[in-house]
Amino acid sequence: MKWIKRAPFIIVGFGVVYASIIFLLILSGTKESPSSKPDTVLILGAQVKGTTKENAYPSTVLKERLDTALVYLNKHPDATVIVCGGQGSDEPDSEANVMAEYLINKGIPKATILREDTSTRTKENIQNAQEKQALGNTVIVTSDFHMYRSMLLAKRLGITEVSGLPAISKSSAKFKTYVREVVALGYGLIFDH
């Protein structure tokens, strides 16, 4: 009977240990640094806002990723850029289209940008980008909290030359995104192969 009374404490204890380990893995991804010789810069999508295709714009999280990528792309103008992300049911345009237009408006040449506009999850972002062209030395740009899982998936998908450029999360929803990533990474570690 004693173990029945202790079961809830044991379960909570395991949950805390699990969440702590996953959180430490997420934090390790925030320390990534990008290659100095990229062939491809892969920018992973996030939600876009607006009511019509004409007034679609990047969410705060997506803008953080794009602005981080811009600084890097200006230092590495020969890299091919692949912007990734389809159109969700609550989005006025595909993430890839909004990202490409944002970069073009900031001076990145249209000819260097490829759009991957059909994916709905991180794994598909990377898989579909691989179908666009041989990626070579790849730099993934995504939010700091999302970097560990993105790198893990890229390696599982056979990208051997991969590094990350984390966009520092300053959003007011930072706590919520980290909590959500704890769940997503736990799922990804087990099921995303």
Side-chain angles (χ1 to χ4, degrees), residues 90-149:
D90 59 344
E91 295 176 309
D93 197 0
S94 75
E95 294 165 10
N97 282 341
V98 173
M99 293 161 76
E101 292 307 314
Y102 185 89
L103 294 174
I104 291 164
N105 289 335
K106 298 286 185 177
I108 302 301
K110 187 175 184 176
T112 66
I113 302 172
L114 297 176
R115 300 175 198 219
E116 183 291 295
D117 60 0
T118 58
S119 57
T120 57
R121 6 186 334 249
T122 305
K123 186 176 180 182
E124 288 176 1
N125 284 172
I126 300 166
Q127 280 177 320
N128 295 348
Q130 287 177 298
E131 293 171 9
K132 292 286 179 187
Q133 68 170 34
L135 300 182
N137 190 331
T138 305
V139 173
I140 294 177
V141 182
T142 190
S143 302
D144 49 8
F145 61 84
H146 188 230
M147 185 56 71
Y148 181 87
R149 180 160 57 102

Side-chain angles (χ1 to χ4, degrees), residues 8 26-27 49 55 61 67 79-80 87 107 115 121 123 126 130 139 164-165 169 174 182 187 190:
I26 292 169
L27 287 181
K49 306 275 191 177
N55 72 6
V61 169
D67 289 342
T80 298
Q87 182 176 357
R115 300 175 198 219
R121 6 186 334 249
K123 186 176 180 182
I126 300 166
Q130 287 177 298
V139 173
L165 175 57
S169 229
K174 187 174 184 174
V182 166
Y187 176 89
I190 299 166

